[in-house]
Amino acid sequence: MSSQADQQKQTSNALQPGATAPNFTLRTTPDKSVSLDQFRGNPVILLFYPADFSPVCGDEVSLYNEILPEFQRLNAEVIGISVDGIWCHLAFSKHKNLRFPLLSDFEPKGNVAQQYGVYRKNDGVSERALFLVDKDGVIRYSYVSPIRVNPGADGILKALESLPQSTEQKEDTST
Amino acid sequence: MMELELTLPVNSSRDHVLGPQKAPITLLEYGDYECPYCRQANLIVGNVVQQLGDKMRFAFRNFPLTQIHPHAQHAAEAAECAGAQNKFWEMHDILYENQQALEDENLLEYAEILELNMSRFQKDFYNHTFAGLIREDFLSGVRSGVNGTPTFYINRMRYNDSWDQETLTRTLIDIINENL
């Protein structure tokens, strides 16, 4: 499985660590939008996944939902992104009792996934990809999983823990 | 990225372990009492343990997905409360056999069936005495690459193959033979 993952990684065009994370503004509910830059100052985990209600995704979002307190302890926010529309996201979010927002990369379809290099043109959905964006908006971790494999959270947690603590940074800038 | 190794080794002082300490192989499961696949896996593991006898140890850690399985956390706590009275595995099996009935009142009923000391059980259960241990189980799984339930580890390495009885048994026997 890991060799498959490596292969996937090598052929992927995903933005790599060190790149500036492209800003975006996407709808999360009919009357609410979320922009990446509104999280500036804290790390953000971007969880791109192919589609709401597909079995593997269900596991992946459920897992991240469950680990959320751990991410929050490290001051990180989690954002899910797929090409599904907001109504679908709302139903999925309710179904899974999600406590983090799902963003709709719906119009133009897959535009944000394309900017991050994780859009599957032939399938019309995004890759199953993870990015860790640091407090300054720079990508610090990037991973594309085989589309049917739930990537788990061990890699992103490790990456998150190796970032300088954002709370200390915030205190530094305020003094 | 695919960190496949168990970060917290199985340790009989913190874990529930069946089988001899010196068994050549340890099978560890991360499971959720409300997960239908785990219920299936519990039957399979039971058969595998019976078949391999003293050649293996089996350990179980909690990985409750509480946002999709609203009864999973309390069920896990009930198993741990029973464990404090040396009846972990008995409760473990009752929970899987009665997966459709995991309300708190059911859990207390199971404790009574197992003839546990009820005042002690209730005290541990309502004080959430073992919630911290369950969270520790869960986080050890997250850090070891558990991505859903059930997830198995054989001697510290994540098992990625199918866990149907035949494949799991054959894999374990092969590893035992390699280590002879």
Side-chain angles (χ1 to χ4, degrees), chain A residues 35-92:
Chain A
S35 297
L36 178 63
D37 59 10
Q38 76 190 59
F39 298 101
R40 197 57 68 85
N42 280 321
V44 182
I45 294 164
L46 303 180
L47 190 163
F48 285 91
Y49 62 99
D52 292 341
F53 292 107
S54 69
V56 183
C57 303
D59 275 348
E60 189 184 357
V61 295
S62 296
L63 181 71
Y64 276 66
N65 197 32
E66 206 68 44
I67 303 168
L68 197 61
E70 199 56 20
F71 292 135
Q72 288 169 339
R73 191 179 62 79
L74 297 160
N75 300 309
E77 303 284 343
V78 177
I79 293 174
I81 304 174
S82 79
V83 297
D84 295 286
I86 43 171
W87 302 108
C88 189
H89 271 345
L90 281 176
F92 185 55

Side-chain angles (χ1 to χ4, degrees), chain B residues 81-146:
Chain B
C81 293
Q85 300 186 40
N86 296 318
K87 292 259 174 94
F88 174 81
W89 294 105
E90 290 84 346
M91 183 62 95
H92 174 90
D93 286 339
I94 288 186
L95 294 172
Y96 278 127
E97 284 159 15
N98 297 278
Q99 195 168 55
Q100 302 309 319
L102 298 177
E103 299 294 340
D104 285 359
E105 62 202 48
N106 303 125
L107 303 176
L108 291 170
E109 239 174 79
Y110 305 147
E112 273 175 13
I113 292 171
L114 292 176
E115 298 180 340
L116 298 180
N117 174 335
M118 287 310 289
S119 65
R120 181 174 170 199
F121 182 89
Q122 291 193 15
K123 190 171 150 245
D124 284 341
F125 185 70
Y126 290 116
N127 288 338
H128 304 288
T129 306
F130 300 103
L133 180 78
I134 291 165
R135 191 70 189 163
E136 192 179 277
D137 277 2
F138 178 82
L139 289 175
S140 76
V142 168
R143 285 173 191 284
S144 306
V146 173

Side-chain angles (χ1 to χ4, degrees), chain B:
Chain B
M1 149 80 189
M2 289 278 180
E3 180 67 88
L4 299 173
E5 202 172 345
L6 188 65
T7 55
L8 178 65
V10 171
N11 172 348
S12 54
S13 69
R14 78 167 297 289
D15 290 308
H16 301 288
V17 189
L18 274 180
Q21 175 106 31
K22 289 197 171 152
I25 210 162
T26 301
L27 176 69
L28 167 67
E29 177 188 349
Y30 280 92
D32 169 326
Y33 288 110
E34 209 174 350
C35 161
Y37 305 104
C38 295
R39 180 175 170 274
Q40 229 176 312
N42 194 50
L43 296 171
I44 289 170
V45 166
N47 293 339
V48 171
V49 167
Q50 208 166 22
Q51 198 179 335
L52 295 186
D54 284 356
K55 294 196 186 80
M56 70 174 284
R57 294 196 298 167
F58 174 64
F60 180 88
R61 284 182 185 162
N62 296 291
F63 202 83
L65 292 172
T66 60
Q67 298 300 312
I68 45 170
H69 296 147
H71 305 95
Q73 175 70 21
H74 282 192
E77 290 185 30
E80 293 298 335
C81 293
Q85 300 186 40
N86 296 318
K87 292 259 174 94
F88 174 81
W89 294 105
E90 290 84 346
M91 183 62 95
H92 174 90
D93 286 339
I94 288 186
L95 294 172
Y96 278 127
E97 284 159 15
N98 297 278
Q99 195 168 55
Q100 302 309 319
L102 298 177
E103 299 294 340
D104 285 359
E105 62 202 48
N106 303 125
L107 303 176
L108 291 170
E109 239 174 79
Y110 305 147
E112 273 175 13
I113 292 171
L114 292 176
E115 298 180 340
L116 298 180
N117 174 335
M118 287 310 289
S119 65
R120 181 174 170 199
F121 182 89
Q122 291 193 15
K123 190 171 150 245
D124 284 341
F125 185 70
Y126 290 116
N127 288 338
H128 304 288
T129 306
F130 300 103
L133 180 78
I134 291 165
R135 191 70 189 163
E136 192 179 277
D137 277 2
F138 178 82
L139 289 175
S140 76
V142 168
R143 285 173 191 284
S144 306
V146 173
N147 56 8
T149 52
T151 293
F152 291 98
Y153 290 77
I154 300 175
N155 290 348
R156 297 194 69 171
M157 299 310 287
R158 195 173 80 177
Y159 176 64
N160 298 318
D161 214 340
S162 159
W163 45 264
D164 67 87
Q165 192 168 324
E166 198 192 326
T167 313
L168 184 59
T169 310
R170 202 181 48 231
T171 308
L172 292 171
I173 289 175
D174 284 351
I175 296 173
I176 291 168
N177 289 338
E178 272 169 32
N179 291 344
L180 277 181

